[in-house]
Amino acid sequence: VLLAFALSPIIDFLRRWRVPRVPAVVITATLAFGVIGGLSYVLSTQLIRLAEDLPSYQYTMLSKIDAIRGSDDDGGGIVDRLTSTLERLRNRLSQADKAEPVPSPSEPGTGEPEPIPVIIESEAGSPMEVVQAVAGPLIKPLVTAGLVVVFVLFVLLERDDLRDRFIKLVGAGDLQTSTEALDEAGTRVSRYLLMQLIVNVTYGVPFGIGLYVIGVPNAALWGLLAIILRFIPYLGPFLAALFPMVLAFAVDPGWSMLLWVAGLFLVMELVSNNFIEPWLYGSSTGLSALAVVASAIFWTTLWGPVGLILSTPLTVCLIVIGRYVPQLNFLGTLLGSDPVLAPEEQLYQRLLASNHEGAIEIAESYIDEHSAEEFYDRVAVPALCLAEEDRRRNMSDGSYKRTVAEGMVAVIEEHADYAQQPQADTAKSGETEAARQTDGTADLSAPGAPCLCIGGKTDLDRAAAEMTAQLMRSRSIGARALPPIVVGQHGIGRLDLAGVEVVCLSYLTHQPQTFATFACHRLKKRAPDLKVLLCLWNPAIGADRAAELKDRTGADAV
């Protein structure tokens, strides 16, 4: 079935060139099995040559083993000392349990006769038995190979009919969903196999060339084995490197060849894992890294080495099924690589868990890809809206509200430092603190700034006000943020409005009219020329009612 998935794109390509189905299948199968047969021939000839050369490597291997063990007469080698120590410990432990030997009936002096040895000699087998003994081990793989060829041909020839029968079996009348599921599964598995083949070839060919330059015998064999073995997740690359390293140990009287092979393996792994695979293969399956590991363990436990090879394609099919079958949606959630939480939900969850470092990482990552304004608009404010919705549903518990608000303020402050860091890095090394105070940014949040951003009611509103003030300061507008208590019944009279021209009142509640009306009237009473702006981040009303709310509250703008 995997071969059918892998060969289907070639057949589709030939069909687009008006090649009939049967000739297209025959051409594709002949090409595929010809390549497999050619590779098998090359591998077998290389293995035969290696087997012929192995006796010549015996002396080098024995010399190295003697050097490791220590060839001096007093047994001063590391291995000899370790072995003798363990042997003495074993003898000491066994002395306590050692019992007197019981005379055997066959020993002299016991009066019992010694057993007579019996030798069974078989007659020479018939020619048919000899042929069966020799050809028997070869019959099973040949039969299996023949069945694979026949099965692949019939699957490719009857692909459309098999698809129709599968849709009828599981589609339950929903042809669109079933067809989309089959198309996506086939596309993902085919792309995965193709990308993995390309990755393995880009690994195996340079690996074989490197081994040839180093001087390892049968370099073509190890390059082909690297291409094949890397289809086995995790274990394949180490097996591909193990054989040439053992051969380098056997061939070279010194250690330089072994070290060069190990270095080549490390370089190839680093290049393949960090550059080639993310470029060609990283997003071809839709599996998370943990899902790849878990699927490899599960299918290997179930089916052994075959399960290890099939683990990724099988899990890809399960994820695709989970996308289209509602009862199996949890498979896509558990195993897929697509984010299951929106960025604002991720940020809100980190803040709820008091994971400020995680929240800061989300903010920095989003700002690097977009901008600070987009982060505040699309992530931070929606996260505060989620917190406000939870606050309304849980009016009695306000601890998490303070946790979220404090975490958001910490994220905003960290973002201010993060955004200013590149500017600080480009400053001259001899610049003094007094000089930095004159650049027009250090005093933007000092008392007397023309803009005052105030949280209207809750700590969450304070976090929204901090965002507003931060964006103003990023545009060289003097602004500072204050908590909701300053516009309370007892705090608004002591609020310092010297030099303030605009007050921005931030609200996340759906119905801020009562609180906004009180704050606007008291502020206007204290400073009639003061401009008051209502910032409604989570309103229940539409934009068409902003003018009505402006008139009702007495604000200058909404």
Side-chain angles (χ1 to χ4, degrees), residues 64-394:
K64 286 188 175 181
I65 293 175
D66 290 339
I68 294 175
R69 296 184 57 186
S71 58
D72 51 332
D73 296 335
D74 59 354
I78 297 175
V79 177
D80 283 341
R81 291 199 299 268
L82 180 60
T83 304
S84 61
T85 302
L86 293 177
E87 183 68 21
R88 287 196 299 270
L89 291 174
R90 188 183 67 82
N91 293 336
R92 180 62 60 87
L93 292 173
S94 63
Q95 284 178 358
D97 299 331
K98 194 172 183 181
E100 292 294 333
V102 179
S104 173
S106 62
E107 293 181 0
T110 59
E112 297 291 338
E114 296 184 4
I116 300 175
V118 177
I119 300 176
I120 300 176
E121 295 182 356
S122 60
E123 297 181 358
S126 62
M128 185 60 67
E129 292 176 348
V130 174
V131 172
Q132 184 177 0
V134 174
L138 300 176
I139 292 177
K140 185 177 180 180
L142 290 176
V143 170
T144 302
L147 288 175
V148 168
V149 174
V150 174
F151 195 83
V152 167
L153 287 173
F154 274 96
V155 169
L156 293 176
L157 288 172
E158 303 292 334
R159 186 177 59 169
D160 292 339
D161 183 65
L162 290 173
R163 176 190 295 252
D164 295 342
R165 295 179 184 277
F166 184 80
I167 290 175
K168 184 65 177 179
L169 184 65
V170 303
D174 191 352
L175 294 178
Q176 178 182 356
T177 301
S178 302
T179 302
E180 289 178 355
L182 284 176
D183 288 342
E184 184 175 348
T187 302
R188 282 201 182 193
V189 174
S190 298
R191 187 169 64 243
Y192 160 74
L193 294 174
L194 177 62
M195 289 300 103
Q196 192 171 36
L197 177 61
I198 295 175
V199 169
N200 292 358
V201 170
T202 58
Y203 180 97
V205 173
F207 187 66
I209 295 174
L211 293 178
Y212 177 78
V213 173
I214 293 173
V216 178
N218 307 101
L221 171 64
W222 311 126
L224 288 175
L225 279 180
I227 295 174
I228 297 171
L229 290 175
R230 279 182 62 87
F231 279 98
I232 302 176
Y234 307 110
L235 189 60
F238 296 100
L239 291 177
L242 177 63
F243 297 116
M245 290 178 69
V246 172
L247 191 58
F249 173 81
V251 172
D252 186 16
W255 299 93
S256 59
M257 183 179 290
L258 178 61
L259 296 177
W260 276 109
V261 173
L264 176 65
F265 168 70
L266 292 177
V267 170
M268 291 301 305
E269 282 295 313
L270 290 174
V271 172
S272 180
N273 294 335
N274 294 291
F275 298 98
I276 305 297
E277 289 188 9
W279 178 41
L280 293 176
Y281 165 66
S283 59
S284 63
T285 62
L287 290 177
S288 65
L290 181 60
V292 174
V293 177
S295 65
I297 295 173
F298 174 78
W299 294 111
T300 304
T301 305
L302 190 64
W303 284 344
V306 175
L308 181 61
I309 297 174
L310 301 179
S311 59
T312 300
L314 287 173
T315 310
V316 168
C317 294
L318 288 178
I319 286 184
V320 172
I321 292 173
R323 287 176 180 267
Y324 294 95
V325 179
Q327 294 82 356
L328 299 177
N329 281 340
F330 69 93
L331 292 175
T333 302
L334 289 177
L335 304 177
S337 60
D338 297 333
V340 295
L341 294 179
E344 63 271 16
E345 294 174 328
Q346 292 180 351
L347 180 63
Y348 181 39
Q349 189 277 328
R350 303 302 190 274
L351 296 176
L352 277 177
S354 299
N355 183 6
H356 295 174
E357 292 78 10
I360 292 171
E361 288 179 3
I362 293 174
E364 292 179 354
S365 175
Y366 199 93
I367 292 171
D368 285 339
E369 296 180 3
H370 303 87
S371 66
E373 288 188 23
E374 289 180 289
F375 168 71
Y376 288 145
D377 280 338
R378 301 178 183 178
V379 181
V381 169
L384 292 179
C385 292
L386 292 175
E388 175 63 21
E389 295 297 325
D390 285 346
R391 186 195 69 82
R392 292 196 307 111
R393 286 192 296 265
N394 304 278

Side-chain angles (χ1 to χ4, degrees), residues 40-54 218 221-222 225:
S40 301
Y41 175 76
V42 173
L43 287 175
S44 61
T45 54
Q46 292 284 323
L47 285 173
I48 292 173
R49 186 180 303 172
L50 177 63
E52 294 174 351
D53 295 339
L54 279 179
N218 307 101
L221 171 64
W222 311 126
L225 279 180

